[in-house]
Amino acid sequence: MKEIATLKNIESPANMLEQFQAEVNEGLSDTNKSLPSKYFYNKKGDDLFVKIMHLPEYYVTRSEHEIFKEKSYSIIKSLNLDPDQYFELIELGAGDGTKTKELLSQLVAGNYSFDYLPIDISQNALDQLELDLSVTMPQVSVKTKQGDYFEVLESLKENQHPKIILFLGSNIGNMSDDIASNFINNLSQTLAFGDKLFLGVDLIKPASVVLPAYNDNQGVTAAFNLNLLERINTELEADFAIYDFKHQPEYDEKEGIATSFLVSKKNQEVFIKKLNRTFNFSKGEKILTEISRKYNDEILKKIITNTAFVIKDKITDSKKYFANYILERV
Ligand SMILES: C[S@@+](CC[C@H](N)C(=O)[O-])C[C@H]1O[C@@H](n2cnc3c(N)ncnc32)[C@H](O)[C@@H]1O
């Protein structure tokens, strides 16, 4: 019998707005201006990201989807799942759940006993996912949780059930290595012996493949990036002239780090009413909006050193563009 439950929300809309305000203020006050990438995801941002996932240049989703489509049996085997043992399948930053649905359908077919708990900062993404699953996979018990995944870790301790954490789409790549290491360590501390983290990471590859993925011909990624300013205009009553900024992706091939910026096309002032503050932008000044770190075994091993995880397995797509690592809590 399908059960849909919404667990206690971590962040009320009022808290989220306050936090948005504080983080925008902090990021734009810095000498090197930045804005947190988690704010890309409002209704318009969610829709644009779904478009990005289908772009010919955006190999990231296609590569990981291939793993889920072609190798879901290997995934279940690597996770060491037992159909008679109930577990919680928890997904951090679930988005539209396209890839996860491949795994869910295999689990349903195999009569596994589990609840699916997608966590996302976007209530809109969760509502759409819940509706979608209620139609396409009514057998799956779905319990959504809205909030910042940095803040939901404590709630994972609420029960002793075995847990599988999905962290897909190279979402971890939006964190610096230090923050990722800390996050994975905190996550490992909230889990119990034998629990697993199924971690999807984009692998290091040449700029000729990476850069177009963040700079598509149709300008969808540019619109996605600029939507951050539109969101500040709407929610914080600012007067950003969107056409006076441009999207600029960069990739440091040696380090394996892609970055996205919004660049001011001229000297200008922007007033943010909710902050009662004016911010100055000089011509060519950049706002860092996203980092997308790429990985290899060495980098991942370094990140999980000093955490309670060990690498149990690794599954890649046919082009070796993407890897899903199975980390086990020891
Ligand atoms: C790049 S999309 C990836 C979606 C999905 N994991 C995939 O692989 O296709 C990132 C998702 O994570 C969510 N997200 C981003 N930052 C978050 C945060 N700090 N806490 C919770 N969710 C977050 C976004 O709302 C969005 O749905």
Side-chain angles (χ1 to χ4, degrees), residues 193-233:
F193 180 81
D195 287 344
K196 311 268 189 319
L197 169 62
F198 190 76
L199 182 67
V201 299
D202 194 10
L203 297 174
I204 292 189
K205 57 182 79 58
S208 57
V209 181
V210 174
L211 265 180
Y214 298 93
N215 203 17
D216 64 279
N217 273 334
Q218 297 167 49
V220 185
T221 317
F224 178 70
N225 199 2
L226 287 162
N227 178 50
L228 203 43
L229 302 185
E230 281 179 43
R231 184 171 182 182
I232 298 173
N233 278 353

Side-chain angles (χ1 to χ4, degrees), residues 258-275:
T259 33
S260 293
F261 297 93
L262 289 166
V263 182
S264 179
K265 292 185 192 167
K266 59 178 200 183
N267 293 332
Q268 53 185 317
E269 282 185 350
V270 174
F271 181 63
I272 303 184
K273 194 170 168 198
K274 281 257 162 70
L275 298 174

Side-chain angles (χ1 to χ4, degrees), residues 38 41 49 53 64 91 93-95 99 120-122 147-150 168-169 171:
K38 64 183 173 185
Y41 301 94
F49 189 73
M53 290 197 297
E64 192 176 30
E91 180 162 9
K99 292 162 281 186
D120 205 289
I121 200 158
S122 164
D148 188 328
Y149 38 60
F150 284 94
L168 309 180
N171 275 18

Side-chain angles (χ1 to χ4, degrees), residues 168-200:
L168 309 180
S170 213
N171 275 18
I172 190 167
N174 297 149
M175 303 176 194
S176 68
D177 290 355
D178 282 351
I179 293 177
S181 198
N182 238 324
F183 179 75
I184 298 219
N185 185 38
N186 289 342
L187 180 60
S188 74
Q189 298 310 324
T190 63
L191 298 176
F193 180 81
D195 287 344
K196 311 268 189 319
L197 169 62
F198 190 76
L199 182 67

Side-chain angles (χ1 to χ4, degrees), residues 142-160:
V142 182
K143 299 176 181 183
T144 64
K145 189 179 276 201
Q146 190 268 332
D148 188 328
Y149 38 60
F150 284 94
E151 289 165 28
V152 300
L153 296 183
E154 272 303 301
S155 70
L156 299 180
K157 284 186 184 159
E158 276 165 13
N159 64 60
Q160 301 297 310

Side-chain angles (χ1 to χ4, degrees), residues 33-47:
K33 293 186 171 69
S34 67
L35 289 167
S37 57
K38 64 183 173 185
Y39 294 115
F40 282 138
Y41 301 94
N42 61 355
K43 167 88 180 82
K44 183 171 176 187
D46 290 339
D47 292 347

